[in-house]
Amino acid sequence: MTPSNSRPSPSPESDRTRTGRRAAAGRNGPGGADAPPTTVPAGETPAARCPHCARPFRTERLCALHLGERHRAALTDGERAAHDDARDAEGDELFVFHLKVVGAITALYAGMVLAYMIVLGVQG
Amino acid sequence: MRRAIGRARSGVDRTGRAADRIGAGRTEPDKGPRRRSARIGPATVALAAVGSALLAEPAAGHAGSLSGSLEPTPVPSWLVVLTGGGIVGASFLFTSLLTDHALVRAINGRGVRVPVREAVRGTIRTTAYRGARLAGVAVLLLVVASGLFGPAAPTASFAVLVVWAGWWAGYAMSVYLLGNTWPTLNPWRTLAEWLAATGLLARTGRASPGRLGVWPSVAGLLLLIWIEVVSPVAEEPRLLAALVLVYTALTLASAARYGTAAWFRRVDPIARVFRYYGRLAPLQRTERGIELALPGSALAERRAAGRADETAFVVALLWVTTYDGLVLTPAWAAFARAVVGLGVPALVVYLLAMVAGFGLFYSVYAIAARLARRTADSYVAAGFIRDWFAPALVPIAAGYHLAHFAGYFLGLAPALGGVLATPFSAPATVTVLAMPGWFGGLQLGFVVLGHLLAVWVAHARSFEVFTGRLQPVRSQYPFILVMIAYTAASLWIVAQPSTSPPFL
């Protein structure tokens, strides 16, 4: 349901039948993954609420992404545009995040190699 | 009672002696290891083996394990701990590169249906099913009879070897490595159904076991492992047979009272352990027949979130493995001596530690779920997050189980084969294999593999409940930190020299 940027996202329903073996069972029931129970702390107003399932979100962007993922068939033009923008923005952020991840992997690897070299060198 | 236990244990170095014998390759049945290295939560010994293979500390204490013949490689223990944590962290970093939900789901959705022909279904399958059920009951009866009347030496005893090496080690492995066959083999279930059918123990149909949820199951698991740790049930066939009889009586009475299906589905802790382990297995039973899928994919695809008590059971499964190892550390021995010095009975100390440790594990996991709500910047209820990610803990528990028991099972397999032929008399010689040196590394690999699967399952599940591509990844931060801490703690326990738990 969250395909890569290059591919248009299929509707949730068709996606399920295509890839999920045990997919549909109990998926849309209340309390399932599609509609997890939410709690909003007292005194806080959610930045956005899904107009279809009333799920609250901390940011507009998450709500727009949610609409595209879970209610794709029922999107208005404005919601579709908001979803595409949100996806682009998230894609940019994701790119930076992945750069950090690659950096962290490199640092971890280098750190391990160094640690083993030093330890084995000292002992050897 | 304490005295009796003390006598049984007196002067036996908890791991050392057994390991020496096992390392020796052959032992006479009558002098067999009193402390079958295993009772120790057969587990812990092998856990020690993981360490001893890789730790530099000249393996004074933990050399005494199944891997007594291993040569320690010159890597200090802190580095092993660090490496374990690093591998778990790195696996998270790698999986976070994969943020295409459709691909994640497609990977988990891969699988083929195992073709079973209708004819096979009809006759052969029914026969095999009945045969398997009969075999299960027959083994149970043999275990009891052999435990009561057979040889008393643990390595010559059919009861001890079949229960600990054959069933709790070997069979449990088959459950998470192949598929869950326990609902068929479960002898207690078969007996209960027979008794219900003949009307000997008619269902009285009173209170349903549902009121307390899964909590009785959790308590049952903790209690069973506590008994296993504080009593010599793994080395004394008579005691083992008595325990099996008590368990049988309790189970049959409860099944009669609450209904067989309800009892085994909701309460029986052993059935629940195998059910959870079975969800990790590549062979899964579905509505459309038997499917062969990637290990863990059934956990990743499981739609239900479970409840707090079911989560507690998974956490308990993980905790009892750790507890088994913890009671062998010098730190525990010092602690227990101090507390017993204050006048607290030793068995109570062990029981309290069991309960307190479980509470600690559960709290830490629940706090991680609450933090996940924050790092993900989400309104999803913390309780839901906690229960949603609980299936990811199953591979970790299985990984530790495999690390603990693989060597133990293989080492005792010849002895097990020997007693299978002669349940009531000691075989002429008992062969116990020593694991080769590289086996310790393999065991560490199993632990890491369990964590890798857990990271993958949690990753896949996070995309089901959170939105977009970044929020799911961010929801994993607290869980990964807890997992790294858990890996480090486990490896630390492994790195400790094994001592005999005091007062037992």
Side-chain angles (χ1 to χ4, degrees):
Chain A
M1 277 202 294
T2 316
S4 62
N5 274 327
S6 57
R7 239 175 331 136
S9 173
S11 80
E13 286 72 23
S14 69
D15 190 36
R16 257 169 228 158
T17 45
R18 206 159 40 79
T19 55
R21 264 180 308 137
R22 290 173 277 271
R27 199 143 214 260
N28 297 312
D34 269 0
T38 51
T39 53
V40 179
E44 191 175 321
T45 312
R49 252 180 206 283
C50 172
H52 298 279
C53 62
R55 181 169 164 179
F57 290 94
R58 277 194 194 271
T59 62
E60 292 273 357
R61 192 175 93 187
L62 283 171
C63 185
L65 288 170
H66 164 82
L67 278 168
E69 284 178 13
R70 311 277 159 139
H71 309 287
R72 192 158 192 85
L75 288 190
T76 64
D77 287 346
E79 285 168 347
R80 193 176 301 275
H83 170 254
D84 291 347
D85 288 349
R87 235 187 123 67
D88 283 350
E90 193 193 38
D92 293 345
E93 206 178 318
L94 195 64
F95 180 73
V96 177
F97 175 77
H98 279 163
L99 282 184
K100 289 181 190 164
V101 166
V102 171
I105 291 175
T106 313
L108 190 64
Y109 177 72
M112 282 293 168
V113 169
L114 269 177
Y116 273 85
M117 277 173 66
I118 292 170
V119 166
L120 296 179
V122 166
Q123 287 182 346
Chain B
M1 174 169 179
R2 254 174 68 194
R3 219 154 46 104
I5 293 170
R7 204 169 48 236
R9 298 252 162 103
S10 60
V12 182
D13 168 42
R14 198 168 174 68
T15 51
R17 184 163 154 191
D20 291 348
R21 310 254 173 180
I22 289 175
R26 250 159 203 274
T27 48
E28 293 303 313
D30 53 333
K31 292 191 228 160
R34 291 271 309 154
R35 156 159 316 280
R36 144 194 101 100
S37 42
R39 102 165 201 54
I40 308 178
T44 36
V45 164
L47 184 60
V50 178
S52 58
L54 287 125
L55 302 179
E57 323 256 352
H62 50 261
S65 65
L66 283 179
S67 58
S69 60
L70 297 187
E71 285 184 23
T73 52
V75 178
S77 55
W78 62 265
L79 191 52
V80 172
V81 170
L82 200 70
T83 309
I87 290 174
V88 174
S91 66
F92 163 70
L93 292 172
F94 276 113
T95 51
S96 76
L97 292 173
L98 176 59
T99 53
D100 182 344
H101 187 187
L103 180 58
V104 169
R105 200 182 276 167
I107 291 172
N108 284 321
R110 290 176 75 93
V112 290
R113 222 173 88 192
V114 179
V116 182
R117 294 194 162 225
E118 283 304 317
V120 176
R121 270 189 200 168
T123 51
I124 300 179
R125 214 173 122 187
T126 317
T127 316
Y129 175 71
R130 289 204 181 129
R133 282 168 66 105
L134 268 176
V137 175
V139 170
L140 177 70
L141 294 179
L142 272 178
V143 162
V144 172
S146 157
L148 290 177
F149 310 113
T155 50
S157 165
F158 177 88
V160 165
L161 284 171
V162 165
V163 168
W164 297 112
W167 176 71
W168 192 236
Y171 175 74
M173 281 181 225
S174 83
V175 170
Y176 53 75
L177 294 179
L178 295 173
N180 184 13
T181 48
W182 187 244
T184 304
L185 289 175
N186 186 348
W188 294 294
R189 190 186 185 119
T190 308
L191 284 175
E193 281 171 8
W194 285 350
L195 289 174
T198 54
L200 282 174
L201 272 177
R203 184 183 174 182
T204 48
R206 265 178 292 169
S208 98
R211 257 178 316 139
L212 294 171
V214 177
W215 291 110
S217 225
V218 177
L221 178 68
L222 295 180
L223 188 69
L224 280 178
I225 302 298
W226 177 73
I227 290 175
E228 192 243 354
V229 166
V230 301
S231 80
V233 71
E235 59 218 30
E236 292 187 3
R238 311 282 184 265
L239 187 67
L240 178 62
L243 181 70
V244 172
L245 280 177
V246 169
Y247 189 85
T248 305
L250 279 178
T251 302
L252 293 183
S254 310
R257 179 178 165 133
Y258 297 113
T260 307
W263 179 258
F264 287 102
R265 191 179 64 243
R266 310 202 57 140
V267 186
D268 186 58
I270 292 173
R272 191 172 282 277
V273 167
F274 287 132
R275 189 156 67 242
Y276 285 23
Y277 274 156
R279 285 179 191 156
L280 176 61
L283 284 172
Q284 291 291 326
R285 197 170 175 171
T286 67
E287 287 156 11
R288 288 181 291 157
I290 295 173
E291 283 190 344
L292 180 67
L294 291 174
S297 62
L299 289 167
E301 290 206 320
R302 203 173 160 69
R303 298 270 69 87
R307 294 189 315 266
D309 45 359
E310 290 169 313
T311 303
F313 191 85
V314 183
V315 173
L317 195 56
L318 203 55
W319 159 241
V320 292
T321 317
T322 314
Y323 177 79
D324 238 3
L326 183 68
V327 296
L328 297 182
T329 61
W332 166 259
F335 171 80
R337 284 203 186 88
V339 178
V340 172
L342 296 175
V344 187
L347 288 183
V348 174
V349 175
Y350 278 84
L351 189 62
L352 285 182
M354 172 67 102
V355 175
F358 165 69
L360 178 74
F361 266 45
Y362 188 77
S363 315
V364 168
Y365 178 65
I367 290 169
R370 207 168 300 164
L371 289 176
R373 177 180 141 98
R374 199 177 298 168
T375 57
D377 206 19
S378 165
Y379 283 126
V380 176
F384 180 84
I385 297 176
R386 176 196 64 210
D387 301 335
W388 181 253
F389 287 107
L393 300 177
V394 173
I396 304 181
Y400 279 104
H401 184 278
L402 189 58
H404 296 169
F405 286 103
Y408 172 70
F409 172 70
L410 293 175
L412 287 177
L416 179 64
V419 297
L420 284 182
T422 58
F424 293 102
S425 59
T429 53
V430 178
T431 311
V432 180
L433 300 179
M435 289 299 115
W438 46 264
F439 202 79
L442 198 63
Q443 286 172 311
L444 187 64
F446 292 148
V447 171
V448 171
L449 201 64
H451 279 98
L452 296 191
L453 262 176
V455 168
W456 170 253
V457 169
H459 182 71
R461 288 183 78 77
S462 70
F463 277 88
E464 297 292 334
V465 75
F466 292 111
T467 309
R469 291 163 290 176
L470 263 174
Q471 197 188 29
V473 173
R474 287 184 172 145
S475 74
Q476 295 304 297
Y477 293 167
F479 291 120
I480 295 302
L481 285 181
V482 168
M483 218 189 271
I484 290 175
Y486 178 66
T487 312
S490 301
L491 291 177
W492 173 80
I493 288 176
V494 164
Q496 299 298 300
S498 282
T499 61
S500 160
F503 310 111
L504 293 181

